[in-house]
Amino acid sequence: MKKRALLSVSDKSGILEFAQALAALDYEILSTGGTMKHLKENGVAVTAVDEVTGFPEIMEGRVKTLNPMIHGGLLAKQDEAKHLEQMAEHGIQPIHIVCVNLYPFKETISKPDVSIDDAIENIDIGGPAMLRASAKNHAYVTVIVDAADYSQVLEELQAEGQTTLETRRRLAAKVFRHTAAYDALISGYLTDLAGEEFPEQVTFTYELKQPLRYGENPHQKAAFYSRPLGSDFSIANAEQLHGKELSYNNIQDANAAIQIVKEFNQPAAVAVKHMNPCGVGVGETIAEAFNKAYEADPVSIFGGIIALNREVDAATADQLSGIFLEIIIAPSFTDEAIDVLTKKKNIRLLTIPFEQHKQDAWNTVSVEGGLLMQQPDAYGFEDADIRVATDREPTEAEWEALKLGWAVVKHVKSNAIVVSDSQRTLGVGAGQMNRVGAAGIALTQAGERAKGAALASDAFFPMDDTVEAAAKAGITAIIQPGGSVKDEDSIKKANEYGIAMVFTGVRHFKH
């Protein structure tokens, strides 16, 4: 009795050559629908699945392989007497090779105009059932879900007449990863349709983008995965034009940079080190914006990551090339800019479609033994319930400085303080255990530039000591959430020094 191979694929890459090689090894080929038509048209002898089942495809092809004649052949223990007896009794023949890939659900729902009916029809049922049955029974069945595995399977069959258990187990594990990811996309799509915010179970799937040389430190292994159907405005989907591959820390910093620069509509440049901004600038041109970001902290920017929200031209490239930078991210680069910047061998140039930014529905963070989910902090200045808490209101220039500082401070690790004028950051205090400590760092960095500048805080002032420190440094305007039981102390202190203080009613903790 010939060995049997069941081939039914939506991705037909390499399937003809694979079927021809199996036929040459004297396998009987079973198939359905488009795969069967493709093989027959190219001269491969094929047995239709309905000839095996004795039952026609029904319900527009929804039911064709869900039959004991197929699944008995997939699940039978081929060396167990009871199974062999039952197979003989019912006329079931074993199936030794299964090559199946699934209806293109991900590709279907990625279409902007996809209908619910079309999405539902692209949920495969028979395919996953065959894959899972074959993978469960991998002691006897070789199951293939990826065309990249055809060659190894053929090499083993041609050399030994069968595949090794090691190969079958590897392929079975790949199948279960594939079906799990497929189900995760379906469950996510339907959960969104149903409007469930926090379902009783949540499953995410990611696709390997690249292994990394190492993680946060050289002794840590790491890899980079991307979310299927995630925003094109992401490092995972960036196009790299030049330079060596990104590291784990590069990816973290680059992501932080683009999250900050997207806050601005005017030309803006952001410099990031260790996931905190070290310089943010805006201007009439992108060259001016970068110059402001550089002036904000010309020391920390060394070896940093730069994100710009406008095309990099030759003038900007000349400025960028004058310092050591790890990565430059922009919507595009002119040919002249690329010529200038690629003279540096190791600098990475990335492009991201800024116009295609869409906010992820949830942010996730792993913790020991679990996962945290929250909505992104998308709260902007225009969303806040702005209230001037002091006797004096900010001037027009102070309002612009406050807006810039507040846009940046939510991207700084708490406790966070940002000192800024209307066009750039002047000092950043990040990740301190108390607020006055963060203010001290930001004000020290700003130095004399703090005079007449604005100060932004990610959370309220529990005491008036931050206002005192700001006043002594020359700060004239402050923006903070308010909400402390001691707000009146801070308001009184601000009035004492003639500082305009604005409450937003919203905090921006970032841990």
Side-chain angles (χ1 to χ4, degrees), residues 278-294:
C278 59
V280 177
V282 297
E284 293 297 319
T285 66
I286 199 63
E288 182 184 349
F290 171 72
N291 189 52
K292 296 292 185 184
Y294 173 77

Side-chain angles (χ1 to χ4, degrees), residues 191-261:
T191 298
D192 289 344
L193 281 182
E196 294 276 4
E197 274 196 345
F198 296 110
E200 72 288 345
Q201 292 176 316
V202 61
T203 304
F204 299 106
T205 183
Y206 292 87
E207 298 169 351
L208 180 65
K209 182 175 175 67
Q210 67 188 78
L212 300 174
R213 288 172 293 155
Y214 54 84
E216 208 162 4
N217 297 288
H219 58 273
Q220 294 170 274
K221 293 182 180 179
F224 187 21
Y225 286 80
S226 62
R227 179 180 295 176
L229 307 179
S231 172
D232 287 338
F233 182 82
S234 71
I235 300 303
N237 292 312
E239 180 182 0
Q240 185 166 347
L241 305 182
H242 177 72
K244 60 185 179 181
E245 71 177 35
L246 301 178
S247 71
Y248 181 98
N249 292 332
N250 290 156
I251 293 165
Q252 290 268 51
D253 284 341
N255 179 66
I258 65 172
Q259 298 309 313
I260 301 168
V261 80

Side-chain angles (χ1 to χ4, degrees), residues 299-367:
V299 175
S300 299
I301 199 173
F302 183 85
I305 280 74
I306 302 295
L308 309 106
N309 64 357
R310 296 290 192 277
E311 181 175 69
V312 175
D313 54 20
T316 311
D318 284 336
Q319 290 178 276
L320 291 163
S321 66
I323 56 176
F324 168 61
L325 297 171
E326 290 276 4
I327 302 170
I328 302 171
I329 309 163
S332 57
F333 296 79
T334 65
D335 290 342
E336 294 82 4
I338 290 175
D339 288 341
V340 170
L341 294 169
T342 54
K343 290 175 182 176
K344 295 195 168 189
K345 180 180 178 182
N346 290 327
I347 194 169
R348 291 85 151 190
L349 305 181
L350 304 181
T351 61
I352 291 178
F354 277 60
E355 73 283 357
Q356 294 184 34
H357 170 254
K358 65 178 182 181
Q359 190 74 54
D360 282 339
W362 301 102
N363 286 340
T364 58
V365 177
S366 61
V367 296

Side-chain angles (χ1 to χ4, degrees), residues 466-482:
T466 303
V467 178
E468 179 80 31
K472 289 181 176 178
I475 294 293
T476 59
I478 293 174
I479 188 167
Q480 57 131 322

Side-chain angles (χ1 to χ4, degrees), residues 113-165:
D113 57 348
V114 64
S115 67
I116 295 175
D117 287 344
D118 195 18
I120 296 299
E121 283 307 309
N122 276 278
I123 297 175
D124 203 328
I125 301 300
M130 289 189 292
L131 286 172
R132 289 171 59 82
S134 305
K136 173 178 178 174
N137 206 31
H138 68 269
Y140 309 95
V141 180
T142 302
V143 58
I144 307 165
V145 75
D146 184 351
D149 294 311
Y150 292 164
S151 58
Q152 182 180 354
V153 169
L154 287 176
E155 285 174 12
E156 293 186 13
L157 292 176
Q158 290 162 350
E160 302 294 336
Q162 63 181 2
T163 55
T164 65
L165 177 59

Side-chain angles (χ1 to χ4, degrees), residues 266-283:
Q266 70 268 53
V270 172
V272 164
K273 287 288 285 291
H274 308 306
M275 295 180 65
N276 279 306
C278 59
V280 177
V282 297

Side-chain angles (χ1 to χ4, degrees), residues 17 20 53 82 96 106 127 186 321 349 356 402 436 497:
E17 295 78 9
Q20 289 170 334
T53 63
K82 190 66 174 177
H96 303 86
K106 181 178 80 169
I186 295 167
S321 66
L349 305 181
Q356 294 184 34
L402 292 170
V436 73
Y497 284 102

